[in-house]
Amino acid sequence: MKLTDADQQLLSVLRENARASTAQIARRLNLSRTTVQSRIERLEREGVISGYTVRIHDEYDRSHLRAHIMIAVHPKQMTSVVAALRAMPELRVLHSISGSHDLIAVGAVPSVGDMDVLTDRIGALDGVERTTSSIVLSTKFER
């Protein structure tokens, strides 16, 4: 499906606050409420919007140490490694990537010691060859 500029702007507003009222969104985008509502319904119906989620308050999120954890996996064990990583609640997202590593996870934990434990748990999984971690110092923006 090809999205219009208005659709992209609508999605951007929803990423910032999916609980914003249709009236608030309409005012922000200079559209009518019915136009906004029909666009949202169309985007949901066509599967562009597949659901809504909770965003954690920035202060709470900043109280956690975050890291990008790059993971190299034995090819035949990718499925089991992904399943094991999915079971770790400290991992916020997992991407398959190109390059010298196969996966990149974003982990969030309260302390450096907890991050050490998390990366050790990941490294100990059957099928994980090696990990490389980078601590996130700050987030300049997020959509």
Side-chain angles (χ1 to χ4, degrees):
M1 168 187 181
K2 181 154 174 57
L3 298 181
T4 66
D5 287 342
D7 292 334
Q8 293 287 3
Q9 291 174 344
L10 174 59
L11 291 172
S12 182
V13 170
L14 288 172
R15 280 186 192 106
E16 290 174 21
N17 182 5
R19 293 188 64 180
S21 71
T22 305
Q24 290 170 320
I25 296 169
R27 279 191 299 276
R28 184 155 169 202
L29 298 177
N30 292 320
L31 297 171
S32 72
R33 285 178 52 230
T34 55
T35 298
V36 168
Q37 187 59 45
S38 66
R39 284 182 183 273
I40 290 172
E41 288 171 0
R42 180 177 52 82
L43 292 168
E44 289 173 340
R45 187 174 55 252
E46 294 180 1
V48 174
I49 296 175
S50 62
Y52 300 86
T53 188
V54 172
R55 289 189 57 186
I56 305 300
H57 190 278
D58 288 342
E59 287 300 315
Y60 177 80
D61 209 31
R62 279 194 289 265
S63 72
H64 280 68
L65 181 71
R66 289 171 295 141
H68 290 204
I69 306 162
M70 292 161 286
I71 307 162
V73 179
H74 294 288
K76 293 185 179 189
Q77 293 180 291
M78 181 63 79
T79 302
S80 63
V81 168
V82 169
L85 294 171
R86 183 184 304 274
M88 296 181 182
E90 303 91 345
L91 298 182
R92 299 269 177 92
V93 65
L94 181 66
H95 300 286
S96 176
I97 59 172
S98 63
S100 61
H101 291 82
D102 303 296
L103 302 169
I104 186 167
V106 177
V109 294
S111 71
V112 171
D114 293 321
M115 187 60 71
D116 191 34
V117 169
L118 175 62
T119 56
D120 285 348
R121 282 177 39 218
I122 293 169
L125 293 173
D126 274 346
V128 171
E129 291 179 17
R130 70 184 179 287
T131 64
T132 305
S133 301
S134 295
I135 301 294
V136 174
L137 300 176
S138 70
T139 300
K140 301 302 183 190
F141 72 87
E142 186 173 346
R143 291 189 176 124

